């Protein structure tokens, strides 16, 4: 996540204008889930009857944005070399910006991988154990070319084949098509993308979360397609797929699996269990006003679909935070937030800063907030990462005390891996010690 520099800002604005036209997607729907003196409040929420005129040196960017959110959960009984190794649980949330061009769709974003749920001071607050880059291009023939591939999303190249006229289709109609699935037999050995042939069968109407849906069942076998890594792969997966009647977009996929992987070194991994895939697609129109100091002054967002509207929010100059526009969404960078040295305890007097931040975040009801802690470099990476995670969690705990629901938060720590400036001076180290809150779009 990078600051907008003055020169780069204008170029980015132009690119955004050129890339603003968006269309519907094959994977969409809504799914309900589970040290400086602080100035006055930095947010005013207004819905003016007349659009105010921008200052002469302001820059206004209009953006049409499409975001795909894919949440995937795996819950397995795992056996390694024939011995029961326990339950394997993994949850991921992938946030992708979608940019449609003449011949392809380009997706880029991040995947947040959750291996456990933190239930210490705040229940249901999720720690992102990994934050992974994702970037791929979907071509007109449905194939996907990954530029950055960490194994997510798990289901690939299967959604175009599901875009059919089910209203005139007979129950029991079936068809076969190619797809790709990403598997993680052992996390430490990385993901593998396997080509598969899936048999689909239309089974009629169903209901998903109160919405009428078409239901398709499917089945496919896993076979060895990576001789450099595996001696053998065997197993099958059975799928239930729910598609919106309104637009044929995939809303939810449930998989039951029984599979075994044998690595070339003889290690065998057997998994039995379920995978759940949830899809949410959000189209918005956004107006961003940027002042002559290159800081965001205001943002106004209107949904193009059924998403709730976000009123116009104006940001005044604040000594508590700055606002940046990043690939994942608006980012609040908390400045001068003081902790006890080498601890996650806030110094007395810092509470008013968090009051100010909470006021901003309450304008984004239902959005997910990613809180990431950062430290200066002291030559101890493991300690730096641990401290940055603790400080991020401390901020989450304070914000939930101010009325923001726990389920809206993800948190992680980057240690000293993402410095803003050089750590060669005390001033630089102070600037690198920070907490950033991204409003995931």
């Amino acid at each position: 996540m990078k600051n907008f520099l003055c020169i780069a800002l204008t170029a980015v604005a132009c690119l955004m204008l050129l890339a603003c036209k968006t269309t519907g997607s094959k994977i969409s729907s809504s799914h309900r889930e589970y040290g400086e003196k602080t100035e006055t409040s930095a947010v005013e929420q207004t819905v003016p009857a007349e659009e105010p005129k921008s200052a002469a040196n302001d820059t206004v960017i209009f953006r049409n944005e499409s975001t795909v959110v894919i949440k995937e959960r795996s819950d397995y009984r795992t056996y390694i070399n024939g011995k029961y190794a326990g339950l394997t649980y993994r949850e991921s949330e992938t946030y992708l910006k979608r940019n449609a061009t003449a011949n392809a769709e380009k997706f880029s974003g991040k995947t947040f991988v959750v291996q456990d749920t933190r239930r210490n001071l705040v229940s249901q607050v999720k720690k992102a154990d990994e934050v992974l880059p994702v970037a791929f291009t979907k071509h007109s023939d449905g194939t996907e070319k990954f530029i950055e591939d960490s194994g997510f999303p798990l289901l690939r190249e299967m959604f175009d084949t599901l875009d059919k006229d089910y209203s005139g289709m007979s129950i029991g109609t079936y068809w076969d098509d190619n797809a790709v699935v990403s598997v993680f037999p052992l996390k430490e050995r990385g993901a593998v993308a396997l080509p598969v042939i899936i048999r689909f069968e239309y089974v009629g109407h169903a209901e998903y979360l109160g919405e009428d849906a078409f239901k398709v069942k499917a089945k496919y076998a896993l076979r060895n397609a990576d001789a450099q890594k595996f001696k053998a792969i065997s197993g099958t997966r059975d799928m239930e797929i729910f598609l919106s009647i309104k637009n044929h977009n995939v809303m939810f996929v449930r998989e039951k699996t029984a599979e075994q992987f044998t690595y070339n070194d003889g290690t065998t991994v057997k998994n039995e269990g379920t995978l759940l895939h949830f899809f949410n697609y959000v189209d918005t129109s956004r107006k961003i006003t940027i002042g002559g100091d290159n800081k965001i002054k205001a943002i106004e967002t209107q949904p193009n679909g059924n998403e709730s509207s976000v009123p116009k929010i104006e940001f005044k100059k604040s000594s508590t935070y700055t606002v940046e526009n990043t690939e994942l969404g608006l980012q609040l960078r908390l400045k001068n937030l003081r902790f006890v040295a080498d601890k996650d305890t806030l110094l007395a007097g810092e509470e008013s800063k968090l009051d100010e931040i909470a006021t901003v975040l309450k304008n984004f009801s239902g959005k997910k907030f990613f809180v990431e802690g950062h430290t200066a470099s002291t030559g101890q990476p493991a300690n730096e990462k641990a401290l940055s995670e603790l400080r991020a969690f401390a901020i989450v705990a304070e914000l939930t005390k101010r009325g923001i629901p726990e389920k809206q938060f993800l948190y992680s720590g980057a240690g000293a891996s993402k410095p803003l400036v050089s750590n060669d001076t005390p001033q630089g180290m102070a600037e690198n010690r920070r907490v950033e809150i991204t409003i995931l779009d």
Side-chain angles (χ1 to χ4, degrees), residues 246-273:
K246 297 177 183 177
N247 49 30
H248 299 183
N249 296 323
V250 175
M251 299 186 290
F252 173 65
V253 178
R254 179 190 291 115
E255 294 189 89
K256 292 182 66 177
T257 183
E259 58 202 29
Q260 181 166 301
F261 303 85
T262 303
Y263 285 91
N264 283 331
D265 66 0
T267 302
T268 62
V269 180
K270 181 180 179 181
N271 288 323
E272 298 174 345

PDB file of all heavy atoms in Angstrom, residues 246-273:
ATOM      1  N   LYS A 246     -31.982 -14.245 -10.546  1.00  0.00           N
ATOM      2  CA  LYS A 246     -32.013 -12.926 -11.174  1.00  0.00           C
ATOM      3  C   LYS A 246     -30.953 -12.775 -12.259  1.00  0.00           C
ATOM      4  O   LYS A 246     -31.204 -12.216 -13.321  1.00  0.00           O
ATOM      5  CB  LYS A 246     -31.821 -11.834 -10.114  1.00  0.00           C
ATOM      6  CG  LYS A 246     -32.918 -11.778  -9.066  1.00  0.00           C
ATOM      7  CD  LYS A 246     -32.592 -10.717  -8.028  1.00  0.00           C
ATOM      8  CE  LYS A 246     -33.639 -10.685  -6.925  1.00  0.00           C
ATOM      9  NZ  LYS A 246     -33.271  -9.686  -5.867  1.00  0.00           N
ATOM     10  N   ASN A 247     -29.743 -13.246 -11.987  1.00  0.00           N
ATOM     11  CA  ASN A 247     -28.639 -12.966 -12.916  1.00  0.00           C
ATOM     12  C   ASN A 247     -27.717 -14.166 -13.163  1.00  0.00           C
ATOM     13  O   ASN A 247     -26.696 -14.017 -13.830  1.00  0.00           O
ATOM     14  CB  ASN A 247     -27.796 -11.799 -12.399  1.00  0.00           C
ATOM     15  CG  ASN A 247     -27.410 -11.966 -10.937  1.00  0.00           C
ATOM     16  OD1 ASN A 247     -27.256 -13.092 -10.455  1.00  0.00           O
ATOM     17  ND2 ASN A 247     -27.261 -10.862 -10.234  1.00  0.00           N
ATOM     18  N   HIS A 248     -28.089 -15.349 -12.629  1.00  0.00           N
ATOM     19  CA  HIS A 248     -27.303 -16.575 -12.807  1.00  0.00           C
ATOM     20  C   HIS A 248     -25.917 -16.506 -12.172  1.00  0.00           C
ATOM     21  O   HIS A 248     -25.043 -17.301 -12.486  1.00  0.00           O
ATOM     22  CB  HIS A 248     -27.160 -16.932 -14.299  1.00  0.00           C
ATOM     23  CG  HIS A 248     -28.448 -17.189 -14.989  1.00  0.00           C
ATOM     24  ND1 HIS A 248     -28.522 -17.578 -16.311  1.00  0.00           N
ATOM     25  CD2 HIS A 248     -29.733 -17.123 -14.549  1.00  0.00           C
ATOM     26  CE1 HIS A 248     -29.788 -17.720 -16.656  1.00  0.00           C
ATOM     27  NE2 HIS A 248     -30.536 -17.455 -15.606  1.00  0.00           N
ATOM     28  N   ASN A 249     -25.707 -15.569 -11.279  1.00  0.00           N
ATOM     29  CA  ASN A 249     -24.421 -15.465 -10.603  1.00  0.00           C
ATOM     30  C   ASN A 249     -24.297 -16.517  -9.495  1.00  0.00           C
ATOM     31  O   ASN A 249     -25.254 -16.802  -8.781  1.00  0.00           O
ATOM     32  CB  ASN A 249     -24.248 -14.075  -9.985  1.00  0.00           C
ATOM     33  CG  ASN A 249     -24.202 -12.999 -11.030  1.00  0.00           C
ATOM     34  OD1 ASN A 249     -23.644 -13.189 -12.102  1.00  0.00           O
ATOM     35  ND2 ASN A 249     -24.806 -11.860 -10.745  1.00  0.00           N
ATOM     36  N   VAL A 250     -23.114 -17.084  -9.368  1.00  0.00           N
ATOM     37  CA  VAL A 250     -22.878 -18.070  -8.323  1.00  0.00           C
ATOM     38  C   VAL A 250     -22.897 -17.384  -6.963  1.00  0.00           C
ATOM     39  O   VAL A 250     -22.201 -16.388  -6.746  1.00  0.00           O
ATOM     40  CB  VAL A 250     -21.530 -18.787  -8.541  1.00  0.00           C
ATOM     41  CG1 VAL A 250     -21.239 -19.738  -7.381  1.00  0.00           C
ATOM     42  CG2 VAL A 250     -21.544 -19.553  -9.857  1.00  0.00           C
ATOM     43  N   MET A 251     -23.691 -17.926  -6.030  1.00  0.00           N
ATOM     44  CA  MET A 251     -23.779 -17.369  -4.685  1.00  0.00           C
ATOM     45  C   MET A 251     -23.032 -18.211  -3.666  1.00  0.00           C
ATOM     46  O   MET A 251     -22.392 -17.687  -2.766  1.00  0.00           O
ATOM     47  CB  MET A 251     -25.245 -17.251  -4.258  1.00  0.00           C
ATOM     48  CG  MET A 251     -26.083 -16.333  -5.135  1.00  0.00           C
ATOM     49  SD  MET A 251     -27.755 -16.093  -4.478  1.00  0.00           S
ATOM     50  CE  MET A 251     -28.470 -17.705  -4.746  1.00  0.00           C
ATOM     51  N   PHE A 252     -23.107 -19.531  -3.827  1.00  0.00           N
ATOM     52  CA  PHE A 252     -22.568 -20.411  -2.793  1.00  0.00           C
ATOM     53  C   PHE A 252     -22.258 -21.762  -3.410  1.00  0.00           C
ATOM     54  O   PHE A 252     -23.003 -22.270  -4.256  1.00  0.00           O
ATOM     55  CB  PHE A 252     -23.584 -20.565  -1.659  1.00  0.00           C
ATOM     56  CG  PHE A 252     -23.217 -21.582  -0.607  1.00  0.00           C
ATOM     57  CD1 PHE A 252     -22.102 -21.389   0.193  1.00  0.00           C
ATOM     58  CD2 PHE A 252     -23.976 -22.720  -0.423  1.00  0.00           C
ATOM     59  CE1 PHE A 252     -21.752 -22.332   1.158  1.00  0.00           C
ATOM     60  CE2 PHE A 252     -23.649 -23.656   0.546  1.00  0.00           C
ATOM     61  CZ  PHE A 252     -22.531 -23.455   1.332  1.00  0.00           C
ATOM     62  N   VAL A 253     -21.129 -22.357  -2.984  1.00  0.00           N
ATOM     63  CA  VAL A 253     -20.740 -23.702  -3.410  1.00  0.00           C
ATOM     64  C   VAL A 253     -20.335 -24.497  -2.171  1.00  0.00           C
ATOM     65  O   VAL A 253     -19.528 -24.024  -1.364  1.00  0.00           O
ATOM     66  CB  VAL A 253     -19.567 -23.676  -4.419  1.00  0.00           C
ATOM     67  CG1 VAL A 253     -19.166 -25.100  -4.792  1.00  0.00           C
ATOM     68  CG2 VAL A 253     -19.931 -22.872  -5.669  1.00  0.00           C
ATOM     69  N   ARG A 254     -20.895 -25.681  -2.043  1.00  0.00           N
ATOM     70  CA  ARG A 254     -20.508 -26.598  -0.960  1.00  0.00           C
ATOM     71  C   ARG A 254     -19.866 -27.826  -1.597  1.00  0.00           C
ATOM     72  O   ARG A 254     -20.418 -28.428  -2.532  1.00  0.00           O
ATOM     73  CB  ARG A 254     -21.712 -27.020  -0.136  1.00  0.00           C
ATOM     74  CG  ARG A 254     -21.371 -28.005   0.994  1.00  0.00           C
ATOM     75  CD  ARG A 254     -22.614 -28.594   1.645  1.00  0.00           C
ATOM     76  NE  ARG A 254     -23.326 -27.570   2.404  1.00  0.00           N
ATOM     77  CZ  ARG A 254     -24.539 -27.132   2.099  1.00  0.00           C
ATOM     78  NH1 ARG A 254     -25.176 -27.608   1.036  1.00  0.00           N
ATOM     79  NH2 ARG A 254     -25.133 -26.211   2.839  1.00  0.00           N
ATOM     80  N   GLU A 255     -18.688 -28.223  -1.086  1.00  0.00           N
ATOM     81  CA  GLU A 255     -18.001 -29.411  -1.586  1.00  0.00           C
ATOM     82  C   GLU A 255     -17.789 -30.411  -0.449  1.00  0.00           C
ATOM     83  O   GLU A 255     -17.414 -30.034   0.659  1.00  0.00           O
ATOM     84  CB  GLU A 255     -16.632 -29.046  -2.163  1.00  0.00           C
ATOM     85  CG  GLU A 255     -16.654 -28.195  -3.408  1.00  0.00           C
ATOM     86  CD  GLU A 255     -15.267 -28.083  -4.024  1.00  0.00           C
ATOM     87  OE1 GLU A 255     -14.921 -28.938  -4.855  1.00  0.00           O
ATOM     88  OE2 GLU A 255     -14.533 -27.140  -3.647  1.00  0.00           O
ATOM     89  N   LYS A 256     -18.010 -31.691  -0.752  1.00  0.00           N
ATOM     90  CA  LYS A 256     -17.637 -32.780   0.145  1.00  0.00           C
ATOM     91  C   LYS A 256     -16.510 -33.547  -0.531  1.00  0.00           C
ATOM     92  O   LYS A 256     -16.608 -33.890  -1.719  1.00  0.00           O
ATOM     93  CB  LYS A 256     -18.834 -33.699   0.409  1.00  0.00           C
ATOM     94  CG  LYS A 256     -19.940 -33.047   1.213  1.00  0.00           C
ATOM     95  CD  LYS A 256     -21.070 -34.016   1.486  1.00  0.00           C
ATOM     96  CE  LYS A 256     -20.611 -35.152   2.387  1.00  0.00           C
ATOM     97  NZ  LYS A 256     -21.728 -36.079   2.732  1.00  0.00           N
ATOM     98  N   THR A 257     -15.457 -33.824   0.220  1.00  0.00           N
ATOM     99  CA  THR A 257     -14.281 -34.408  -0.416  1.00  0.00           C
ATOM    100  C   THR A 257     -13.710 -35.566   0.384  1.00  0.00           C
ATOM    101  O   THR A 257     -13.781 -35.601   1.619  1.00  0.00           O
ATOM    102  CB  THR A 257     -13.185 -33.343  -0.612  1.00  0.00           C
ATOM    103  OG1 THR A 257     -12.075 -33.919  -1.290  1.00  0.00           O
ATOM    104  CG2 THR A 257     -12.722 -32.778   0.725  1.00  0.00           C
ATOM    105  N   ALA A 258     -13.166 -36.534  -0.343  1.00  0.00           N
ATOM    106  CA  ALA A 258     -12.359 -37.611   0.218  1.00  0.00           C
ATOM    107  C   ALA A 258     -11.211 -37.807  -0.766  1.00  0.00           C
ATOM    108  O   ALA A 258     -11.422 -38.239  -1.897  1.00  0.00           O
ATOM    109  CB  ALA A 258     -13.180 -38.890   0.364  1.00  0.00           C
ATOM    110  N   GLU A 259      -9.998 -37.454  -0.349  1.00  0.00           N
ATOM    111  CA  GLU A 259      -8.883 -37.390  -1.308  1.00  0.00           C
ATOM    112  C   GLU A 259      -7.581 -37.771  -0.624  1.00  0.00           C
ATOM    113  O   GLU A 259      -7.427 -37.615   0.596  1.00  0.00           O
ATOM    114  CB  GLU A 259      -8.782 -35.974  -1.891  1.00  0.00           C
ATOM    115  CG  GLU A 259      -8.594 -34.900  -0.837  1.00  0.00           C
ATOM    116  CD  GLU A 259      -9.009 -33.512  -1.300  1.00  0.00           C
ATOM    117  OE1 GLU A 259      -9.900 -33.397  -2.152  1.00  0.00           O
ATOM    118  OE2 GLU A 259      -8.424 -32.539  -0.786  1.00  0.00           O
ATOM    119  N   GLN A 260      -6.635 -38.271  -1.432  1.00  0.00           N
ATOM    120  CA  GLN A 260      -5.333 -38.639  -0.895  1.00  0.00           C
ATOM    121  C   GLN A 260      -4.239 -38.182  -1.853  1.00  0.00           C
ATOM    122  O   GLN A 260      -4.352 -38.343  -3.067  1.00  0.00           O
ATOM    123  CB  GLN A 260      -5.233 -40.148  -0.683  1.00  0.00           C
ATOM    124  CG  GLN A 260      -3.882 -40.586  -0.099  1.00  0.00           C
ATOM    125  CD  GLN A 260      -3.894 -42.007   0.411  1.00  0.00           C
ATOM    126  OE1 GLN A 260      -4.682 -42.351   1.286  1.00  0.00           O
ATOM    127  NE2 GLN A 260      -3.026 -42.841  -0.128  1.00  0.00           N
ATOM    128  N   PHE A 261      -3.184 -37.633  -1.261  1.00  0.00           N
ATOM    129  CA  PHE A 261      -2.040 -37.134  -2.026  1.00  0.00           C
ATOM    130  C   PHE A 261      -0.789 -37.864  -1.540  1.00  0.00           C
ATOM    131  O   PHE A 261      -0.547 -37.962  -0.332  1.00  0.00           O
ATOM    132  CB  PHE A 261      -1.857 -35.631  -1.817  1.00  0.00           C
ATOM    133  CG  PHE A 261      -3.068 -34.813  -2.176  1.00  0.00           C
ATOM    134  CD1 PHE A 261      -4.097 -34.625  -1.263  1.00  0.00           C
ATOM    135  CD2 PHE A 261      -3.185 -34.240  -3.439  1.00  0.00           C
ATOM    136  CE1 PHE A 261      -5.217 -33.874  -1.596  1.00  0.00           C
ATOM    137  CE2 PHE A 261      -4.297 -33.499  -3.774  1.00  0.00           C
ATOM    138  CZ  PHE A 261      -5.316 -33.317  -2.856  1.00  0.00           C
ATOM    139  N   THR A 262       0.004 -38.349  -2.482  1.00  0.00           N
ATOM    140  CA  THR A 262       1.284 -38.980  -2.147  1.00  0.00           C
ATOM    141  C   THR A 262       2.399 -38.177  -2.791  1.00  0.00           C
ATOM    142  O   THR A 262       2.496 -38.088  -4.022  1.00  0.00           O
ATOM    143  CB  THR A 262       1.346 -40.433  -2.648  1.00  0.00           C
ATOM    144  OG1 THR A 262       0.253 -41.163  -2.091  1.00  0.00           O
ATOM    145  CG2 THR A 262       2.657 -41.088  -2.228  1.00  0.00           C
ATOM    146  N   TYR A 263       3.229 -37.551  -1.939  1.00  0.00           N
ATOM    147  CA  TYR A 263       4.342 -36.752  -2.438  1.00  0.00           C
ATOM    148  C   TYR A 263       5.456 -37.671  -2.930  1.00  0.00           C
ATOM    149  O   TYR A 263       5.504 -38.864  -2.603  1.00  0.00           O
ATOM    150  CB  TYR A 263       4.877 -35.840  -1.340  1.00  0.00           C
ATOM    151  CG  TYR A 263       3.996 -34.645  -1.040  1.00  0.00           C
ATOM    152  CD1 TYR A 263       3.007 -34.723  -0.068  1.00  0.00           C
ATOM    153  CD2 TYR A 263       4.155 -33.446  -1.721  1.00  0.00           C
ATOM    154  CE1 TYR A 263       2.193 -33.635   0.217  1.00  0.00           C
ATOM    155  CE2 TYR A 263       3.355 -32.346  -1.442  1.00  0.00           C
ATOM    156  CZ  TYR A 263       2.369 -32.446  -0.476  1.00  0.00           C
ATOM    157  OH  TYR A 263       1.568 -31.368  -0.201  1.00  0.00           O
ATOM    158  N   ASN A 264       6.364 -37.103  -3.708  1.00  0.00           N
ATOM    159  CA  ASN A 264       7.473 -37.892  -4.246  1.00  0.00           C
ATOM    160  C   ASN A 264       8.407 -38.451  -3.173  1.00  0.00           C
ATOM    161  O   ASN A 264       9.106 -39.438  -3.410  1.00  0.00           O
ATOM    162  CB  ASN A 264       8.267 -37.062  -5.256  1.00  0.00           C
ATOM    163  CG  ASN A 264       7.560 -36.963  -6.594  1.00  0.00           C
ATOM    164  OD1 ASN A 264       6.826 -37.867  -6.967  1.00  0.00           O
ATOM    165  ND2 ASN A 264       7.767 -35.873  -7.317  1.00  0.00           N
ATOM    166  N   ASP A 265       8.414 -37.834  -1.999  1.00  0.00           N
ATOM    167  CA  ASP A 265       9.252 -38.369  -0.922  1.00  0.00           C
ATOM    168  C   ASP A 265       8.540 -39.459  -0.125  1.00  0.00           C
ATOM    169  O   ASP A 265       9.055 -39.944   0.882  1.00  0.00           O
ATOM    170  CB  ASP A 265       9.717 -37.249   0.009  1.00  0.00           C
ATOM    171  CG  ASP A 265       8.577 -36.597   0.771  1.00  0.00           C
ATOM    172  OD1 ASP A 265       7.406 -37.004   0.587  1.00  0.00           O
ATOM    173  OD2 ASP A 265       8.848 -35.657   1.551  1.00  0.00           O
ATOM    174  N   GLY A 266       7.325 -39.827  -0.566  1.00  0.00           N
ATOM    175  CA  GLY A 266       6.585 -40.894   0.090  1.00  0.00           C
ATOM    176  C   GLY A 266       5.564 -40.437   1.110  1.00  0.00           C
ATOM    177  O   GLY A 266       4.740 -41.234   1.578  1.00  0.00           O
ATOM    178  N   THR A 267       5.558 -39.169   1.492  1.00  0.00           N
ATOM    179  CA  THR A 267       4.594 -38.649   2.455  1.00  0.00           C
ATOM    180  C   THR A 267       3.184 -38.707   1.874  1.00  0.00           C
ATOM    181  O   THR A 267       2.945 -38.257   0.753  1.00  0.00           O
ATOM    182  CB  THR A 267       4.925 -37.197   2.833  1.00  0.00           C
ATOM    183  OG1 THR A 267       6.239 -37.139   3.379  1.00  0.00           O
ATOM    184  CG2 THR A 267       3.928 -36.662   3.850  1.00  0.00           C
ATOM    185  N   THR A 268       2.257 -39.273   2.623  1.00  0.00           N
ATOM    186  CA  THR A 268       0.865 -39.330   2.187  1.00  0.00           C
ATOM    187  C   THR A 268      -0.002 -38.441   3.081  1.00  0.00           C
ATOM    188  O   THR A 268       0.193 -38.390   4.299  1.00  0.00           O
ATOM    189  CB  THR A 268       0.313 -40.756   2.220  1.00  0.00           C
ATOM    190  OG1 THR A 268       0.336 -41.237   3.572  1.00  0.00           O
ATOM    191  CG2 THR A 268       1.108 -41.677   1.328  1.00  0.00           C
ATOM    192  N   VAL A 269      -0.940 -37.757   2.449  1.00  0.00           N
ATOM    193  CA  VAL A 269      -1.879 -36.893   3.160  1.00  0.00           C
ATOM    194  C   VAL A 269      -3.285 -37.246   2.686  1.00  0.00           C
ATOM    195  O   VAL A 269      -3.569 -37.210   1.487  1.00  0.00           O
ATOM    196  CB  VAL A 269      -1.605 -35.406   2.891  1.00  0.00           C
ATOM    197  CG1 VAL A 269      -2.598 -34.534   3.658  1.00  0.00           C
ATOM    198  CG2 VAL A 269      -0.177 -35.039   3.263  1.00  0.00           C
ATOM    199  N   LYS A 270      -4.124 -37.597   3.625  1.00  0.00           N
ATOM    200  CA  LYS A 270      -5.514 -37.919   3.309  1.00  0.00           C
ATOM    201  C   LYS A 270      -6.424 -36.924   3.998  1.00  0.00           C
ATOM    202  O   LYS A 270      -6.294 -36.681   5.204  1.00  0.00           O
ATOM    203  CB  LYS A 270      -5.842 -39.344   3.770  1.00  0.00           C
ATOM    204  CG  LYS A 270      -7.265 -39.785   3.457  1.00  0.00           C
ATOM    205  CD  LYS A 270      -7.504 -41.205   3.943  1.00  0.00           C
ATOM    206  CE  LYS A 270      -8.934 -41.647   3.662  1.00  0.00           C
ATOM    207  NZ  LYS A 270      -9.188 -43.033   4.149  1.00  0.00           N
ATOM    208  N   ASN A 271      -7.338 -36.341   3.235  1.00  0.00           N
ATOM    209  CA  ASN A 271      -8.282 -35.361   3.773  1.00  0.00           C
ATOM    210  C   ASN A 271      -9.709 -35.829   3.533  1.00  0.00           C
ATOM    211  O   ASN A 271     -10.048 -36.290   2.433  1.00  0.00           O
ATOM    212  CB  ASN A 271      -8.104 -33.995   3.119  1.00  0.00           C
ATOM    213  CG  ASN A 271      -6.840 -33.289   3.569  1.00  0.00           C
ATOM    214  OD1 ASN A 271      -6.457 -33.382   4.736  1.00  0.00           O
ATOM    215  ND2 ASN A 271      -6.193 -32.585   2.663  1.00  0.00           N
ATOM    216  N   GLU A 272     -10.544 -35.693   4.545  1.00  0.00           N
ATOM    217  CA  GLU A 272     -11.978 -35.969   4.426  1.00  0.00           C
ATOM    218  C   GLU A 272     -12.725 -34.828   5.092  1.00  0.00           C
ATOM    219  O   GLU A 272     -12.446 -34.495   6.247  1.00  0.00           O
ATOM    220  CB  GLU A 272     -12.337 -37.293   5.112  1.00  0.00           C
ATOM    221  CG  GLU A 272     -11.672 -38.507   4.512  1.00  0.00           C
ATOM    222  CD  GLU A 272     -11.953 -39.771   5.315  1.00  0.00           C
ATOM    223  OE1 GLU A 272     -12.408 -39.645   6.470  1.00  0.00           O
ATOM    224  OE2 GLU A 272     -11.730 -40.867   4.798  1.00  0.00           O
ATOM    225  N   GLY A 273     -13.649 -34.224   4.362  1.00  0.00           N
ATOM    226  CA  GLY A 273     -14.373 -33.123   4.977  1.00  0.00           C
ATOM    227  C   GLY A 273     -15.093 -32.270   3.958  1.00  0.00           C
ATOM    228  O   GLY A 273     -15.531 -32.750   2.908  1.00  0.00           O
TER     229      GLY A 273
END
